[in-house]
C-alpha cells in the first residue's frame, strides 16, 4: 500500500521561505505530486516530481529523493494568499492498471502571518 | 471544457435516506477518482476507475457505498442507507491517460450532511 506523512501545521510570516516535508512508504510509484487547497475549495495541482531532484515553478519548488523516501515543497516570498492546506500525493503503484491511482498525505495547513 | 462538474454542491438528508452524488469527467480523461474529505481523516481515496473499470475500491467504507461509471464521462456515488458519520465533502477528480505526470482535476465537491 501507499502511506504518506506530513506535518499537520506550519506557520510563517509574509515574505519568508517555508519548507513542507513529506515522507512516504510505497510499494512502488511513478512520482510525487503536490496540491494546494484553500478553505472551502477543491485541491489544485501545484507540481510533480517524476525524477529525483528539484523542480521549480515560480515561487514554488518541489524536491524528491527516492533513496530517502522523502520530498518537500518549498514556498518562497510567502504571501498571505498562500495560506492554505498543502498535500503531497503519490501516483502508483507501478502496474498497468493502477498506475494512475493517486493517494494523498494528510495535508499540512500553512498559516501565513503579516 | 468546463472542468469536472459535480452535483449537487450541497446535500442535506435524513439518516436512512439514499444519497446519490454525480460527477461529469473532463472530456478525454479516462481515470476517475472519488475522495471523501473530513477534518479527522483528511482526503481518503474511496474508489478509482480506469477506462470505466473499477481498479481499486479498497477505500469504500462498507457495502452501503457503491460507485458506477455507466459511460466514459459520467460517474455516480451512492450511499444507501446514509448515516450521520457519512457527513463529509465528497470530491471526484479525473486525469488524462496520456501522461502519468498529468495533474488530477478536481470538481468543486459535494458537501453532504446527514442528520
Amino acid at each position: 500500500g501507499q502511506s504518506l506523512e506530513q506535518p499537520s501545521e506550519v506557520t510563517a510570516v509574509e515574505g519568508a521561505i517555508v519548507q513542507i516535508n513529506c515522507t512516504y512508504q510505497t510499494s512502488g510509484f511513478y512520482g510525487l505530486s503536490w496540491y494546494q487547497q484553500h478553505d472551502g475549495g477543491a485541491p489544485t495541482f501545484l507540481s510533480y516530481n517524476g525524477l529525483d531532484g528539484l523542480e521549480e515553478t515560480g515561487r514554488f519548488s518541489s524536491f524528491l529523493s527516492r533513496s530517502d523516501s522523502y520530498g518537500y515543497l518549498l514556498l518562497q516570498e510567502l504571501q498571505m494568499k498562500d495560506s492554505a492546506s498543502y498535500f503531497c500525493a503519490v501516483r502508483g503503484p507501478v502496474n498497468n492498471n493502477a498506475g494512475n491511482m493517486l493517494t494523498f498525505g494528510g495535508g499540512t495547513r500553512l498559516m501565513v502571518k503579516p | 471544457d468546463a472542468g469536472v462538474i459535480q452535483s449537487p454542491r450541497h446535500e442535506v438528508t435524513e439518516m436512512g435516506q439514499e444519497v446519490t452524488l454525480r460527477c461529469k469527467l473532463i472530456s478525454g480523461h479516462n481515470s476517475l477518482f472519488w475522495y471523501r474529505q473530513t477534518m479527522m481523516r483528511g482526503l481518503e481515496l474511496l474508489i478509482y476507475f480506469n477506462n470505466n473499470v473499477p481498479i481499486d475500491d479498497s477505500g469504500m467504507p462498507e457495502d452501503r457505498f457503491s460507485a458506477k461509471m455507466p459511460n466514459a464521462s459520467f460517474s455516480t456515488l451512492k450511499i444507501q442507507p446514509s448515516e450521520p458519520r457519512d457527513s463529509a465533502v465528497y470530491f471526484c477528480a479525473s486525469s488524462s491517460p496520456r501522461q502519468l505526470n498529468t495533474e488530477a482535476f478536481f470538481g468543486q465537491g459535494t458537501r453532504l450532511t446527514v442528520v
Side-chain angles (χ1 to χ4, degrees):
Chain A
Q2 324 278 49
S3 68
L4 302 97
E5 294 289 330
Q6 306 177 234
S8 57
E9 280 190 5
V10 172
T11 301
V13 297
E14 217 173 354
I17 298 173
V18 71
Q19 179 173 312
I20 300 174
N21 297 321
C22 174
T23 57
Y24 57 83
Q25 290 184 322
T26 79
S27 51
F29 72 112
Y30 288 105
L32 185 71
S33 302
W34 288 90
Y35 285 75
Q36 178 191 60
Q37 184 182 29
H38 286 98
D39 285 348
T44 56
F45 174 81
L46 285 178
S47 69
Y48 174 83
N49 293 74
L51 302 174
D52 282 8
L54 194 67
E55 293 283 341
E56 297 180 76
T57 309
R59 294 187 298 114
F60 294 178
S61 304
S62 58
F63 174 82
L64 174 64
S65 170
R66 289 176 183 264
S67 59
D68 296 320
S69 297
Y70 164 74
Y72 66 73
L73 179 70
L74 190 74
L75 298 86
Q76 303 182 73
E77 300 172 18
L78 279 175
Q79 302 175 9
M80 297 296 290
K81 67 178 182 178
D82 297 329
S83 293
S85 293
Y86 293 84
F87 295 85
C88 57
V90 290
R91 278 201 175 275
V94 178
N95 65 52
N96 287 337
N97 282 333
N100 270 334
M101 200 161 77
L102 194 59
T103 305
F104 284 82
T108 299
R109 188 172 183 84
L110 171 64
M111 289 177 283
V112 180
K113 296 187 174 180
Chain B
D1 201 312
V4 175
I5 300 173
Q6 291 187 245
S7 64
R9 290 294 308 276
H10 303 274
E11 177 81 26
V12 180
T13 190
E14 291 185 347
M15 182 173 63
Q17 296 298 305
E18 177 179 296
V19 175
T20 299
L21 311 181
R22 296 173 175 80
C23 175
K24 183 176 183 300
L25 284 69
I26 292 173
S27 177
H29 284 191
N30 77 331
S31 292
L32 183 280
F33 311 85
W34 279 103
Y35 291 92
R36 176 172 70 175
Q37 188 173 37
T38 61
M39 288 294 293
M40 292 299 295
R41 301 176 69 90
L43 258 174
E44 301 175 273
L45 177 63
L46 299 178
I47 187 168
Y48 160 58
F49 290 87
N50 194 39
N51 293 322
N52 302 4
V53 176
I55 302 299
D56 191 314
D57 65 356
S58 58
M60 294 287 262
E62 48 199 91
D63 291 346
R64 298 185 296 108
F65 285 66
S66 62
K68 294 182 180 179
M69 276 197 79
N71 57 58
S73 61
F74 184 72
S75 177
T76 60
L77 177 68
K78 186 176 294 186
I79 308 173
Q80 166 63 22
S82 58
E83 297 182 3
R85 61 190 167 125
D86 301 330
S87 298
V89 180
Y90 291 80
F91 289 103
C92 73
S94 70
S95 65
S96 166
R98 294 175 184 82
Q99 294 175 322
L100 285 170
N101 64 343
T102 299
E103 63 185 281
F105 293 81
F106 281 74
Q108 287 305 301
T110 295
R111 182 174 293 277
L112 174 66
T113 303
V114 182
V115 297

